[in-house]
Amino acid sequence: MLKSIAIMTSGGDSPGMNAAVRAVTRTALHAGVKVWGIYGGYHGLLDEEMFEMTSKSVSDIIQRGGTFLGTARCKRFTTPEGRQLGYKNLVDRGIQGLVVVGGDGSLRGASALSAETGMPIVGLPGTIDNDVWGSDYTIGCDTAANTIIDAINKLRDTASAHRRVIVLEVMGRNSGWLAMTTGISGGAEYILVPEEEYDMDEICADMKESYERGKRYILVVVAEGAGKGFDISQQIVERTGLDTRVSKLGHIQRGGSPSVIDRVRASQLGENAALAIISGLSDIVFGFDRGHVVSINLHDAVNNKKKLNPELMRLAKVLA
Ligand code: ADP
């Protein structure tokens, strides 16, 4: 059994990361294992911004969005030299295993660190995009989806009053999960995602016809990876002449107090990660599959691309 572990959050922040860090920390402390918190992701690892944590270090954080450990993007860590320095900084403190909470990129970095140095690593998927292969859930995706739905509800009120077309751009550079789930639950007529081609001529002709049949308003949800909201709105105006407005939610989607689902799931994942790392396991990521916690091979998680559920894509079209 390991005697000392470290935990960090890395890459884009997401609501629920705090709950995960709290669960890892308290589970490990409960088992008599020392826990180090690393500030600012891989930056903090290289700059030695690490401190030993107590149960109190993670008090009063479960309800907070963001991550109290801070997060960063770190270029130095993408080089083998950077990772060797990270390894040395862990070993110098007697740290025998590392838990990394982050997105695709952070897990890729963790995988490289483990492969090159043998440092045991357990990953947790922390990103609002829900795009980590092998898991149907990532920490923060539920809160972000609920933030978007709140915006959609408000946009629908004003769209209906003015018979407008509303284009809402949401996050998701490579993944349409947020756009698809919020589009379906927000009753969007069109959902544009990077995983699927679309034809603006066809969409605009369809929109015109809908208005002629008496439709009061139309909602288009677009993932940023499928196009810029402003461009799409401009194309709609040019081709249909319909009164069109565009909204871009931006970083509001990352913030906010985590939902019940994100708090509970992050806590479950955190407990599993702590138990796994202290018992000497490595190169795994914990996620969810149909409501159950599962472990995924870290190498597989970072070398495969998660697909958007085709059933959701089909349903979106049926209900539009
Ligand atoms: P996210 O984890 O949210 O996907 P990034 O892709 O920005 O965010 O990754 C966070 C950090 O992880 C990067 O700044 C870098 O330090 C590290 N990282 C990302 N990709 C790699 C890689 N291929 N090899 C090593 N480290 C990486």
Side-chain angles (χ1 to χ4, degrees), residues 190-205:
Y190 304 96
I191 304 169
L192 311 182
V193 292
E195 290 89 345
E196 198 175 33
E197 286 191 6
Y198 59 90
D199 179 341
M200 278 314 286
D201 285 332
E202 218 174 89
I203 290 174
C204 290

Side-chain angles (χ1 to χ4, degrees), residues 48 83-94 117 119:
E48 302 185 67
R83 292 191 288 271
Q84 282 301 332
L85 175 60
Y87 174 67
K88 179 182 176 297
N89 290 343
L90 292 170
V91 171
D92 283 353
R93 287 167 179 76
T117 67
M119 174 60 63

Side-chain angles (χ1 to χ4, degrees), residues 10-13 17 42-43 71-79 83 101-110 112-113 126-127 131 254:
S10 168
D13 63 306
M17 280 183 160
Y42 294 125
H43 254 302
T71 179
R73 297 205 151 90
C74 174
K75 211 151 183 205
R76 278 180 296 159
F77 195 76
T78 59
T79 65
R83 292 191 288 271
V101 189
D104 212 38
S106 302
L107 297 176
R108 211 174 286 280
L113 177 66
T127 161
D131 61 350
R254 278 202 198 283

Side-chain angles (χ1 to χ4, degrees), residues 152 156 159 164-166 182-184 186-192 203 206-207 210-211 213 215-221 315-320:
I152 288 181
R156 287 186 79 118
R164 275 177 180 151
V165 176
I166 295 277
T182 58
I184 290 173
E189 277 72 18
Y190 304 96
I191 304 169
L192 311 182
I203 290 174
D206 194 51
M207 274 183 185
S210 300
Y211 264 71
R213 282 200 314 266
K215 195 146 182 89
R216 285 210 56 80
Y217 65 98
I218 283 175
L219 174 65
V220 184
V221 177
L315 179 65
K317 291 199 174 64
V318 171
L319 301 183

Side-chain angles (χ1 to χ4, degrees), residues 143-166:
T143 305
N146 281 302
T147 301
I148 297 170
I149 274 297
D150 189 41
I152 288 181
N153 291 341
K154 288 171 178 150
L155 288 166
R156 287 186 79 118
D157 291 343
T158 165
S160 160
H162 290 274
R163 292 204 72 193
R164 275 177 180 151
V165 176
I166 295 277

